[in-house]
Amino acid sequence: MCLEKPIMPKSSKLFYCIVLILAFILLAIFVGNNPINNFDIAISHFVQQFHNPTLDKFMILISAFGNLSIASASVIITALLFLLFKYKREAAFIMAISLTGLVTFSLKRLFSRPRPTDEHVTLIESYKNHSFPSGHTLSYVVFFGFLILLMRNLKSVPTSLRNVITGFSIMMFIVGPISRIYLGAHWFTDILGGMLIGLLCLFVLSHFYKRT
C-alpha cells in the first residue's frame, strides 16, 4: 500500500501565516514603545553570565554564518552543490532565500531600533546598523530551516549525509540566535522578531516548494 503524506489544507496555511504576522505586529508595537526595557535587559544578563573566552570564540564563529558576506556565500555555494548533483529545483529555491535580505533591510529601516549599548550589556561584538528584527536570526531560520525540510524530502540523498546536515542545521537554528544575545549584538525581542518573520518566509518558501 502506498501512503501519501498528508497535505495541510489551505485554510490552515493561511491561519498560521496570519498568526505569525499578528504576533510580529504586536511585538513591533511593544518594541516601538519600549526600545529599551527590563525584560530584554534581564534576558541579556542571564545569557551573558556564562561569558568566558572559549565560549566567546565559539559564539563569534556561529554568529559569522549570519554576516552578509558569509551568508551570501553559503547560499551560493549550497545552491551550486545542489545544482552539481542535479537537484535543479532545490538549487533555485535556495537561491530564492537571498531575497530575504530585502525583507530584513526594509524592516530595519522601518523600525530603526538602536542596538544594545555597553550601558546595559557586555558588547563582545558591536554593529552600527539598526537592531529590530535580527537579520542573522531571520537568515538562520530560513536557510537552515529549509535545509532541514530538504533533508526530510530528498530520500535519494544518503541517510548518513542527510543526518549530518540535519543535525548541523538544527544546531545552527537554535544556537545561532542565542549567539546574537550572548555577543551583545541584539535584544531578545530582536531575536523573536527575526524568528517570526523568518518562520513566515520559511513557511511561504516551503509552500511553493511542495506545491511545485
Side-chain angles (χ1 to χ4, degrees):
M1 180 182 297
C2 179
L3 298 178
E4 295 184 354
K5 294 182 179 179
I7 300 176
M8 185 183 297
K10 290 183 179 180
S11 58
S12 297
K13 295 177 180 179
L14 180 60
F15 172 76
Y16 288 127
C17 287
I18 292 174
V19 168
L20 289 171
I21 293 171
L22 289 177
F24 180 80
I25 291 174
L26 291 175
L27 179 65
I29 293 173
F30 172 80
V31 167
N33 293 324
N34 306 275
I36 299 177
N37 58 80
N38 292 330
F39 175 69
D40 275 326
I41 293 173
I43 292 181
S44 291
H45 287 174
F46 173 77
V47 173
Q48 292 192 322
Q49 71 177 312
F50 304 103
H51 162 71
N52 68 72
T54 302
L55 191 55
D56 288 356
K57 294 178 182 178
F58 175 73
M59 289 299 190
I60 290 173
L61 177 63
I62 294 295
S63 180
F65 277 87
N67 293 342
L68 180 60
S69 57
I70 298 179
S72 300
S74 298
V75 168
I76 294 172
I77 292 172
T78 303
L80 288 175
L81 285 173
F82 274 96
L83 190 61
L84 179 65
F85 289 97
K86 311 303 181 183
Y87 294 104
K88 296 181 180 179
R89 188 163 65 96
E90 286 72 16
F93 274 89
I94 288 174
M95 284 303 300
I97 293 174
S98 59
L99 297 176
T100 59
L102 297 176
V103 176
T104 300
F105 176 79
S106 301
L107 291 175
K108 283 182 179 290
R109 290 293 298 272
L110 176 64
F111 295 106
S112 301
R113 186 188 195 184
R115 295 270 183 174
T117 64
D118 55 8
E119 180 183 355
H120 299 102
V121 302
T122 301
L123 297 182
I124 300 173
E125 276 195 340
S126 60
Y127 294 80
K128 295 181 179 180
N129 59 343
H130 301 304
S131 186
F132 180 84
S134 167
H136 277 64
T137 300
L138 192 154
S139 65
Y140 289 132
V141 170
V142 181
F143 181 70
F144 292 108
F146 192 63
L147 281 181
I148 293 171
L149 171 70
L150 291 181
M151 292 305 102
R152 289 187 59 188
N153 284 271
L154 298 177
K155 303 302 182 182
S156 56
V157 177
T159 302
S160 57
L161 180 58
R162 285 194 289 120
N163 290 339
V164 169
I165 294 175
T166 299
F168 178 76
S169 296
I170 291 173
M171 182 198 72
M172 293 298 296
F173 193 101
I174 297 172
V175 181
I178 296 175
S179 72
R180 304 305 290 159
I181 301 175
Y182 179 91
L183 296 174
H186 279 292
W187 299 112
F188 171 76
T189 45
D190 297 332
I191 303 303
L192 185 56
M195 186 74 70
L196 291 171
I197 295 299
L199 287 173
L200 180 62
C201 293
L202 177 61
F203 197 84
V204 172
L205 188 68
S206 62
H207 166 74
F208 284 104
Y209 172 74
K210 292 179 179 179
R211 183 179 180 181
T212 55

